[in-house]
Amino acid sequence: MLMNIKLIVGLGNPGSEYRDTRHNAGFWLIDRLAAQWHAPLRDEKKFCGDCARVRAHGRDIWLLKPQTFMNLSGKAVAALAQFYKIAPAEILVVHDELDLPCGRIRFKLGGGNGGHNGLKDIQAKLASPDFYRLRLGIGHPGDKNLVSAHVLNKPSPDERNLLEHAIDKSLQHLPLLLDGDKDAAVRALHSA
């Protein structure tokens, strides 16, 4: 299937108290991409999020940071996708990933949600799991009872550096994804 990404969503929680938490890694990437593309994000009430439209790689691409809180991310994604007739397979969701070591990156199409409430809600609202995911590893605390505190707290300075490096690498290789060269992107993103 030929990739044709029209919407890039970064997951996180709104509010200053969450700004620097691990759960907001998707927001961090969107903020960096918006700055790189000179595309200021604006609050769009009808899409329940901060978004921008950019002309890049021969098409319009939307950037979206849902402002609904993580558990309701699908509300914003579905609102924008339905309005602009963007199919699930034209969406790339960037999110924090517990099941990857901090700083690792993985890219895939579809699959489960791994207990990630943002992904779970997007799957429900789109009635499909078949969207692309860019997974930014934040590491697992080792005990499922510590997961909530882990994702809602700030990473250590070393972990933040690893995450920033992962975002740098993701942005460097994003053009491969947007140009449809999935295999080259996967090789580049998945290399240590």
Side-chain angles (χ1 to χ4, degrees), residues 66-187:
Q67 298 297 298
T68 53
F69 287 96
M70 185 67 79
N71 295 359
L72 300 174
S73 297
K75 180 178 180 182
V77 175
L80 194 148
Q82 289 166 4
F83 189 84
Y84 289 105
K85 297 179 177 33
I86 299 171
E90 297 172 325
I91 299 171
L92 172 62
V93 176
V94 183
H95 64 90
D96 59 303
E97 178 59 63
L98 281 166
D99 295 329
L100 288 174
C102 188
R104 287 284 175 89
I105 310 163
R106 289 293 178 267
F107 173 78
K108 71 175 191 170
L109 171 63
N113 57 51
H116 192 292
N117 290 324
L119 293 178
K120 193 181 300 182
D121 195 59
I122 293 169
Q123 288 175 338
K125 298 294 191 304
L126 294 179
S128 173
D130 297 327
F131 50 88
Y132 288 96
R133 297 101 186 275
L134 184 62
R135 304 158 62 209
L136 302 173
I138 61 168
H140 196 286
D143 181 335
K144 68 179 182 176
N145 296 316
L146 302 176
V147 164
S148 182
H150 181 71
V151 300
L152 294 176
N153 277 297
K154 295 179 182 181
S156 70
D158 286 345
E159 289 173 326
R160 182 68 190 235
N161 286 338
L162 288 170
L163 283 164
E164 291 296 341
H165 177 71
I167 291 170
D168 289 342
K169 188 174 181 179
S170 299
L171 293 175
Q172 178 186 348
H173 298 294
L174 185 62
L176 293 171
L177 292 176
L178 296 177
D179 289 338
D181 197 344
K182 184 177 134 192
D183 293 339
V186 166
R187 281 193 302 275

Side-chain angles (χ1 to χ4, degrees), residues 12 32 43-44 46 48 59 75 82 129 151 163 166 168 189:
R32 296 264 306 276
D43 178 23
E44 291 283 349
K46 70 179 173 183
C48 307
R59 63 187 171 276
K75 180 178 180 182
Q82 289 166 4
V151 300
L163 283 164
D168 289 342
L189 291 169

